Amino acid sequence: MKIGIIGLANSGKTTIFNALTGQDVPTTVYTTTEAQPHIGIVKVPDERVERLAQIYNPKKITFATVQYIDYLGITKGDMEQNRKVLEMIKDVDAVLHVVRVFEDEAVVHPIGDVDPLRDAETVELELILSDLDLVEKRLQRMEESRKRGKKIDEKEKAVLLKCKEALEGEQPLRDVEFTEEELLALRHLQLISLRPEVMVLNLQEEDLGTEKEKQLIKELKERFNVPVTALSGKIEMEIAQLEAEEAEEFLSDLGLKEPAMWRLIRLCYEHLGLISFLTVGKDEVRAWTIKKGTPAQKAAGKIHSDIERGFIRAEVIAFDDFISAGSMAEARERGLLRLEGKTYIVQDGDIINFRFNV
Ligand SMILES: Nc1nc2c(ncn2[C@@H]2O[C@H](COP(=O)(O)OP(=O)(O)O)[C@@H](O)[C@H]2O)c(=O)[nH]1
Ligand SMILES: [Mg+2]
């Protein structure tokens, strides 16, 4: 899974990137213009994988991973610059939109003062304008082709017009209903407002867990129709640099249950409708990410296209059933191991052994 971090300059994107990845990229109080995006890959915490690794003691343990990309801020009214920023994250599965709530005189605000709702609106509008520009240019090119006597794809044109209308009404494309076919026709444009989004409010420590936090979350949720969560980027970045034991102590002092690193991954997983299935063995214990509702044969393709092609059956057991049985042999004995066909819908935490023939 790939997640792109966006927001205004100095909203705390890089700070939160550090918190999410445990990296230590320098942050600045002035607006940066550096050319390189920051990229961090982190494992998706999964107790099931750890438990299975204890049982199998495999040569290799592989967690599902998330890749975060942090680049420059979105600038109000600067389409050219914004396009450069968005170009960098156009193939992400989800967008993490950082909104500044923290007050700090030393940290310049690009619009002058701290106003979360206005800032979020500003960024959302820039995403919409950027998409509108792409859609209009594409329509123009199609029209030119048509004039030159070429046949154009009428289906694509229809869906582009549908996008244009929504975008002109300042509606992000993620709020528009599209058929699978329409989405396919749009795919090559890699429109950013089509991506699922999670909003993160970057609070100062004193505001954590307060009425102010609750109120803001409610307000932004209602306004933007996306999941909204809050954290203190600065604190979370410190936590991410600590050893596990120290981090736990620090968290409980602050009244937090877990680091934002975990909470945000879970939120994105839920919001994107992602689940994991597991494979086990002496060589490797591994988690694989799929979309909820994926049938067994397609899930097999995650591992290898040969397994998908030559799919015969899936031997499946739920993680909890496996743990209660204690071993595969015992699970088989108790009839907990099921043989499923290619249309079986894989469930979160299924341990699967694919039988295939190529
Ligand atoms: N007081 C305070 N400062 C923060 C917080 N998060 C980030 N900053 C500071 O704001 C400045 C800009 O942060 P940065 O992460 O570089 O913002 P970016 O431009 O969005 O990447 C840095 O000086 C950070 O230390 C926070 O939660 N509280
Ligand atoms: Mg930055």
Side-chain angles (χ1 to χ4, degrees), residues 13-14 32 34 38 70-71:
K13 296 180 299 300
T14 302
T32 42
E34 86 262 53
H38 311 126
D70 164 46
Y71 194 43

Side-chain angles (χ1 to χ4, degrees), residues 10-15 27-29 102 104 107 202-203 233-234:
N10 278 353
S11 54
K13 296 180 299 300
T14 302
T15 305
T27 60
T28 48
V29 291
F102 74 86
D104 190 336
V107 182
N202 189 11
L203 306 181
K234 220 170 183 175

Side-chain angles (χ1 to χ4, degrees), residues 257-306:
K257 278 203 270 322
E258 58 179 358
M261 198 191 253
W262 299 1
R263 183 154 52 94
L264 269 172
I265 287 182
R266 262 215 325 275
L267 190 62
C268 289
Y269 252 62
E270 270 166 36
H271 184 52
L272 294 178
L274 298 176
I275 56 169
S276 300
F277 72 87
L278 307 148
T279 52
V280 296
K282 281 278 154 237
D283 287 329
E284 187 180 31
V285 163
R286 178 162 186 170
W288 306 82
T289 303
I290 52 169
K291 275 235 168 222
K292 219 180 268 175
T294 303
Q297 184 170 19
K298 190 151 175 246
K302 267 267 149 184
I303 302 176
H304 201 288
S305 55
D306 281 353

